[in-house]
Amino acid sequence: MHESKIKSVIKLFLYTTFAAVICAIVYIVSMTTFEGFMTQITGYTVYEQQENGKSKLVSEITLAEGQTGSDIELEENQIKIQVRSEMSTVEKIITKVITQAILLIIFYMAVFMKSGDIGRKQRFLEICNQCDVDKWLGLKIGLMASIPSALMYIVLVVCKFLSVNFLNIFKVYHSAFRPLVDWICNESNNINDVSILTVFLMIIPTILMPVISQLAYLYGYTNGQATQKIIYK
């Protein structure tokens, strides 16, 4: 493979890796924020920190009307943890859909930035007669950049048959698709609770990468073509 193409694959992988880290942070912030807006504090669970470093459950307190957390008196070495009401089904759907939309925008912006830039450069080189354009270069680069994701998926399938719970690691790695994966596996974090058909559906994130990369490449190529026409006029 040409050295420039190898560099493009590495750069696309790094771009998407950085975007995935950002998505993981945004996911946590988004879910916490929505939970704060859509739920209420209903009580507190009180734990006592023991000398061995472990925590012992002391009591579960349900707040009375007008009572707040500041009204609860704690003894030494005790901590309190909020207990919140559950979100309704509609609220959960709204939260997941909005969060997933934000994550996809972040993740695929990285893909569009890199693959689109490659398309524009390819168009420029074609105009300068320095190379022949490969109309499927975006797809090829996307496929190669998806190899780590594909390997993670293969491990997930193997772990399903071996009854080894790899699902949480898979979810963390595919943080840009976390709400979608949660929906596919019905919010389960245990691979043994997920059907083999559901596991097969989890290949969606791996498939989407090369498809979006190709679309971004063609967009960049077309945009570069239009730009060059304007310049040469």
Side-chain angles (χ1 to χ4, degrees), residues 43-150:
Y44 288 87
T45 303
V46 179
Y47 291 91
E48 183 178 285
Q49 294 179 322
Q50 299 177 320
E51 293 181 357
N52 59 8
K54 295 183 179 180
S55 297
K56 177 184 177 182
L57 176 64
V58 176
S59 62
E60 295 178 344
I61 302 172
T62 301
L63 294 178
E65 186 176 353
Q67 188 180 16
T68 63
S70 58
D71 298 327
I72 300 173
E73 295 183 1
L74 298 176
E75 297 181 6
E76 189 177 356
N77 296 329
Q78 288 186 346
I79 59 172
K80 60 183 179 181
I81 298 176
Q82 293 180 355
V83 176
R84 305 189 71 91
S85 59
E86 291 286 331
M87 285 193 289
S88 67
T89 302
V90 174
E91 289 172 337
K92 287 180 180 179
I93 293 173
I94 292 173
T95 300
K96 292 285 186 179
V97 169
I98 294 176
T99 301
Q100 183 62 85
I102 294 171
L103 297 182
L104 288 179
I105 290 171
I106 294 172
F107 187 77
Y108 285 121
M109 272 182 64
V111 178
F112 257 85
M113 285 173 62
K114 191 57 201 170
S115 294
D117 185 55
I118 293 171
R120 285 187 290 271
K121 288 180 179 178
Q122 286 292 302
R123 177 55 185 164
F124 177 76
L125 292 174
E126 181 187 38
I127 292 173
C128 296
N129 295 320
Q130 294 185 20
C131 73
D132 295 326
V133 173
D134 182 356
K135 292 295 180 66
W136 298 101
L137 181 59
L139 181 65
K140 295 174 182 177
I141 291 174
L143 282 170
M144 287 180 282
S146 299
I147 289 176
S149 175

Side-chain angles (χ1 to χ4, degrees), residues 19-36 87 92 95-104 106-107 168 171-183 185 187-189:
V21 173
I22 298 299
C23 285
I25 297 172
V26 171
Y27 173 79
I28 295 172
V29 173
S30 177
M31 297 301 291
T32 304
T33 302
F34 275 109
E35 184 180 12
M87 285 193 289
K92 287 180 180 179
T95 300
K96 292 285 186 179
V97 169
I98 294 176
T99 301
Q100 183 62 85
I102 294 171
L103 297 182
L104 288 179
I106 294 172
F107 187 77
N168 282 327
K171 286 183 177 182
V172 171
Y173 184 84
H174 293 89
S175 57
F177 302 89
R178 181 64 182 269
L180 175 63
V181 174
D182 279 339
W183 176 75
C185 62
E187 304 292 337
S188 175
N189 291 319

Side-chain angles (χ1 to χ4, degrees), residues 201-219:
L201 289 175
M202 291 185 193
I203 199 173
I204 292 175
T206 304
I207 294 174
L208 285 176
M209 165 75 92
V211 174
I212 300 299
S213 177
Q214 175 64 16
L215 292 175
Y217 173 81
L218 292 176
Y219 174 81

